[in-house]
Amino acid sequence: MPRLNVILASTRPNRAGASVARWFMRAAAEHGGFDSHLIDLADLALPFLDEPDAAIDGKPYRHEHTRRWSAISAAADAYAIVTPEYNQGYPAALKNALDYLFYEWNDKPVAFVTYGMSSGGLRAAHMLKPVVSALKMVPVAETVTIHLRQALDADGRLAPSQSMQNAAKNTLDELLRITPALATLRS
């Protein structure tokens, strides 16, 4: 069974992303196509990029936190990035985490589960596509877009709609369809 790393990009306390990520993890478990692992960038606590050599140079990583992040990322066959939209972009912690590595990302599919108030995070996904493409990841067309104004109940809890459930299933289906094809490129 291919491994899916679900990367929770927000590191803020009291973030909506934690409930979004937990919901997506449940959707992935129900889907059944992946061995899914939640990777919380807040728990990972990477400092700002501090490796002296660029990851593309292929030199050994000098820091333990980079080696740990490399092992976590290299183990994945596919990724789903759960990210908010901040000021028409995405969190700095996510850009930092992506920039730490290079070869670990190559020839692997990535999907976006975005959330925000007005745009549902669509602009964050749009801004991420050139970044992940430069890392030789393959973004899938299907996404999950969550408009928090409509998705949160009166108590501020995530209340997934049927359209969110459908989007999650379609996104996971597409990741599962593409994952084996890209695995042949890596072998």
Side-chain angles (χ1 to χ4, degrees), residues 62-142:
R62 297 198 188 172
H63 301 294
E64 178 56 33
H65 55 262
T66 311
R67 290 190 292 272
R68 184 177 67 245
W69 180 223
S70 172
I72 290 167
S73 298
D77 299 297
Y79 304 92
I81 297 175
V82 177
T83 186
E85 180 177 309
Y86 293 158
N87 303 311
Q88 299 192 23
Y90 52 89
L94 177 56
K95 180 68 164 90
N96 186 56
L98 290 168
D99 287 346
Y100 257 94
L101 309 174
F102 182 73
Y103 294 103
E104 296 85 346
W105 305 124
N106 290 185
D107 300 319
K108 295 179 183 178
V110 59
F112 302 108
V113 178
T114 64
Y115 60 94
M117 289 303 192
S118 298
S119 76
L122 285 170
R123 295 174 292 210
H126 178 74
M127 299 295 286
L128 275 164
K129 286 181 181 178
V131 174
V132 298
S133 295
L135 295 169
K136 297 187 179 183
M137 297 171 90
V138 179
V140 299
E142 285 73 10

